Amino acid sequence: MVGLVLWCILLLIGWFNIANALSYDYTASIEHRTLGNNKFIVANSRVHPHDSVSQNLNLEKNKIYTFSAWIQVSKGRIPVSAVFKTQTGYILAGSIFAKSSCWSMLKGGFTVDASGSAQLYFASNNTSVDIWVDSISLQPFTEKQWMSHQDQAIEKTRKTKVRIQAVDSQGKPLSNAKISIKLKKASFPFGCAINKNILYNNAYQNWFTSRFTVTVFENEMKWYSTEPSQGKVDYSVPDAMLQFAKKNNVLVRGHNVFWDDPKYQQGWINSLSPTDLSKATTDRINSIMSRYRGEVIGWDVVNENLHFNFFESKLGQNASAVFYNLAQKIDGTSTLFLNEYNTIENARDGDSTPAKYLQKLRDIKAFPGNGNLKLGIGLESHFSSAAPNLAYMRASIDTLAATNFPIWVTELDVQRGPYQAQYLEQILREAHSHPKVAGIVIWSAWKPQGCYRMCLTDNNFKNLPTGNVVDELLAGRIAIKSSAGRTDGNGFFEASLSHGLYSVKIHHPSAKNSSLVQKLNVVSSTGADNQTLLMRFAA
């Protein structure tokens, strides 16, 4: 450590806060607060990337830690990471692009599997700048407290309290009336990828349609599938799959218009000159988006645009921005997604951090004509067989949510391992409970020879442990099938219902029409704590 580090450590009282676990704050800021009269610490005369302010502390085993800090640098705009050095290695808590003359919020987290001392420091490969740090917070949670936050968030954002009153034709309350509430369709989009095998397999169709309300096609809409040879475009398979989805009231995500990974470009594309490639991409985007305009709920316009740059390398650095510009003109009503992996899965993947994701969105919007793009954030969520870092996952979504763009988990799976089902449950709970996640799609399209990385069923469509996790989540948190009870002395019955469309049946023997059935649409409450449904019986 160099420069002012020793001086800084003396000022840590009131600057560094290790808080007792209370509630969790899902908010984050991607705006930069101006420099006021606040006190902060500075690391200057830096020689090595890890030279910075530092603090020794003690971490507790099996605790989930959330972390935040405000960061500024003396000049330019550079990436800065928060790192905890432990007895067993290094933990990357999070990273941010820090700027000069204003403060940027770094938010992250990690889980500790062994108690012991640790040292917090801030790292940047650019050693020519000073790093300024202010308002650090490190908050520990037990697993029970973490799950409590999830439950609280679900009650607040995914459910609404409903009061139903049974009265007779004179308005007199009917006590002890029997109430039965059955879910017809859940509002939260929860789905699974499919492939063309579903068109020919009734068992696959029955298993899928009894569970999911949204889907995405595994490969069938991709450019290499629809135009394997130049000029020979064939949409017959995705057409049939789209008709299947529409017949069963299943929403479809458009995946994808372009894929920036050079491995997945059909041979004829690689042989094109830049001029011919530009024309081919324009033809492609016009062809597929015009065909399915109004038929899909969103488009992955450019897939994996942070890890790869095939089109940029051929057409210039603004290639993706041009694609989004054209996409908006063709289908301006649909949400246009940037779809990426490892933004929430892996803190150590420097290519797709939340900070870099945000910068890519800024770059796309900065292109002339893109200021009003209807953008969306697609998080592929391909998790490894290691325990998921739920604190980093949550903090990353918090950071991305500050854009106010819709956030979808688009390709969720967990690599095969002894705890695959357990980790899938943890990730699904975390994703569904986050207030800003607008939909979840699992990446488990069935094939006889096996799924991409994670199957939910065997080849007879009997649930595997992962499939049981999905069904339990649906039944217990996303699509609770029914609720029943009796009215109180004032004729009221109360329930906390997940958002969706319900059928409500009231039965009372003293009424002329002893049973009444009515639809109830439970939506997010806007300010009011309760919705009240008044049902009247003929005397």
Side-chain angles (χ1 to χ4, degrees):
M1 299 299 125
V2 295
L4 299 181
V5 174
L6 294 178
W7 174 77
C8 293
I9 291 175
L10 298 176
L11 298 181
L12 290 178
I13 297 175
W15 167 77
F16 189 98
N17 177 31
I18 300 182
N20 293 323
L22 298 170
S23 60
Y24 179 84
D25 183 3
Y26 284 93
T27 61
S29 175
I30 56 174
E31 300 298 327
H32 304 284
R33 67 178 186 180
T34 57
L35 177 61
N37 295 321
N38 55 309
K39 296 180 179 180
F40 53 90
I41 58 176
V42 179
N44 62 10
S45 303
R46 298 173 59 249
V47 177
H48 305 291
H50 56 270
D51 288 341
S52 76
V53 300
S54 64
Q55 173 66 31
N56 294 324
L57 52 119
N58 190 65
L59 301 177
E60 298 179 62
K61 181 180 180 180
N62 296 329
K63 288 291 181 69
I64 302 171
Y65 285 88
T66 62
F67 175 84
S68 65
W70 288 90
I71 311 294
Q72 186 177 168
V73 291
S74 57
K75 60 182 179 180
R77 182 177 181 276
I78 64 168
V80 176
S81 299
V83 181
F84 288 78
K85 181 182 179 181
T86 70
Q87 296 171 344
T88 58
Y90 295 85
I91 299 173
L92 177 62
S95 59
I96 191 70
F97 278 105
K99 296 178 65 176
S100 62
S101 302
C102 55
W103 293 92
S104 301
M105 186 181 193
L106 187 159
K107 195 170 187 180
F110 55 92
T111 301
V112 176
D113 54 14
S115 298
S117 61
Q119 184 181 46
L120 165 66
Y121 64 90
F122 296 86
S124 176
N125 289 329
N126 188 333
T127 58
S128 67
V129 302
D130 300 341
I131 299 175
W132 303 1
V133 184
D134 187 24
S135 304
I136 295 181
S137 175
L138 182 66
Q139 190 169 11
F141 298 95
T142 65
E143 183 179 354
K144 184 177 180 180
Q145 289 169 329
W146 196 261
M147 294 177 69
S148 176
H149 298 153
Q150 294 173 339
D151 293 339
Q152 292 169 13
I154 285 174
E155 285 295 325
K156 183 177 181 179
T157 62
R158 306 291 187 210
K159 293 183 176 182
T160 296
K161 292 181 180 178
V162 177
R163 301 177 75 226
I164 298 170
Q165 187 180 35
V167 298
D168 63 18
S169 59
Q170 280 76 44
K172 180 181 178 180
L174 293 172
S175 63
N176 206 35
K178 184 177 180 181
I179 305 287
S180 176
I181 304 174
K182 292 187 177 181
L183 178 69
K184 295 299 183 183
K185 186 174 183 180
S187 292
F188 183 81
F190 185 76
C192 185
I194 58 174
N195 55 39
K196 61 184 179 182
N197 291 297
I198 204 166
L199 298 174
Y200 321 108
N201 191 310
N202 289 333
Y204 187 6
Q205 294 177 6
N206 293 334
W207 175 84
F208 177 86
T209 56
S210 65
R211 288 164 172 80
F212 302 116
T213 58
V214 63
T215 193
V216 65
F217 303 165
E218 188 176 36
N219 297 308
E220 287 78 3
M221 271 193 185
K222 293 173 182 174
W223 197 3
Y224 61 69
S225 295
T226 62
E227 195 178 0
S229 300
Q230 187 174 12
K232 296 181 180 178
V233 181
D234 184 358
Y235 290 114
S236 58
V237 174
D239 281 353
M241 293 173 68
L242 187 63
Q243 288 306 309
F244 164 80
K246 290 174 65 176
K247 179 182 177 181
N248 291 281
N249 297 312
V250 174
L251 303 174
V252 177
R253 298 189 70 253
H255 177 79
N256 51 55
V257 180
F258 297 109
W259 194 351
D260 236 341
D261 190 339
K263 288 192 305 183
Y264 296 102
Q265 311 304 325
Q266 52 272 49
W268 64 267
I269 287 180
N270 287 294
S271 64
L272 296 178
S273 67
T275 300
D276 290 340
L277 178 60
S278 178
K279 182 180 184 304
T281 56
T282 300
D283 291 344
R284 159 65 177 175
I285 199 168
N286 272 297
S287 174
I288 191 168
M289 291 191 68
S290 296
R291 187 178 190 88
Y292 297 125
R293 180 173 48 221
E295 304 288 335
V296 298
I297 59 172
W299 291 97
D300 291 334
V301 178
V302 183
N303 203 50
E304 299 174 359
N305 190 219
L306 295 173
H307 283 96
F308 307 106
N309 65 343
F310 172 81
F311 294 102
E312 288 79 2
S313 69
K314 302 286 187 180
L315 301 175
Q317 63 179 4
N318 289 325
S320 292
V322 172
F323 295 156
Y324 281 88
N325 183 280
L326 183 54
Q328 175 186 232
K329 294 174 181 176
I330 299 170
D331 190 357
T333 61
S334 291
T335 304
L336 308 177
F337 285 85
L338 178 69
N339 200 44
E340 257 301 348
Y341 66 90
N342 276 354
T343 302
I344 61 174
E345 304 99 299
N346 186 352
R348 294 192 174 277
D349 188 340
D351 290 332
S352 55
T353 63
K356 287 196 173 180
Y357 199 117
L358 291 172
Q359 185 56 48
K360 178 61 71 171
L361 293 176
R362 292 188 188 101
D363 292 344
I364 291 171
K365 288 203 70 174
F367 186 77
N370 286 0
N372 295 318
L373 283 179
K374 190 177 179 181
L375 290 173
I377 294 171
L379 303 173
E380 291 185 12
S381 307
H382 294 296
F383 284 82
S384 72
S385 58
N389 185 346
L390 298 180
Y392 181 79
M393 174 182 174
R394 184 181 293 184
S396 297
I397 298 175
D398 292 347
T399 299
L400 295 168
T403 62
N404 289 319
F405 296 150
I407 297 175
W408 277 64
V409 171
T410 57
E411 302 181 17
L412 174 58
D413 60 16
V414 178
Q415 193 168 2
R416 190 175 293 106
Y419 303 105
Q420 184 186 45
Q422 177 184 334
Y423 294 159
L424 175 64
E425 179 184 16
Q426 293 174 3
I427 295 162
L428 281 171
R429 282 177 57 97
E430 184 63 45
H432 177 245
S433 64
H434 198 289
K436 298 300 184 179
V437 172
I440 299 172
V441 180
I442 298 171
W443 196 254
S444 295
W446 174 83
K447 292 187 285 285
Q449 62 271 29
C451 310
Y452 171 63
R453 293 204 319 174
M454 182 184 78
C455 283
L456 300 180
T457 74
D458 61 19
N459 282 353
N460 294 315
F461 296 94
K462 302 296 182 183
N463 271 2
L464 298 170
T466 48
N468 289 335
V469 165
V470 169
D471 282 357
E472 289 165 7
L473 183 75
L474 282 166
R477 300 171 77 86
I478 296 178
I480 302 173
K481 297 297 183 183
S482 63
S483 179
R486 292 184 179 273
T487 58
D488 61 17
N490 294 315
F492 282 107
F493 174 78
E494 295 189 8
S496 179
L497 301 178
S498 299
H499 300 153
L501 184 62
Y502 293 82
S503 173
V504 180
K505 183 177 181 180
I506 297 181
H507 175 82
H508 197 279
S510 69
K512 180 182 293 185
N513 297 324
S514 61
S515 295
L516 175 67
V517 178
Q518 186 167 330
K519 290 183 179 179
L520 171 63
N521 189 22
V522 180
V523 297
S524 178
S525 57
T526 55
D529 290 333
N530 299 297
Q531 294 183 357
T532 301
L533 176 66
L534 182 63
M535 291 190 167
R536 295 185 180 275
F537 287 83

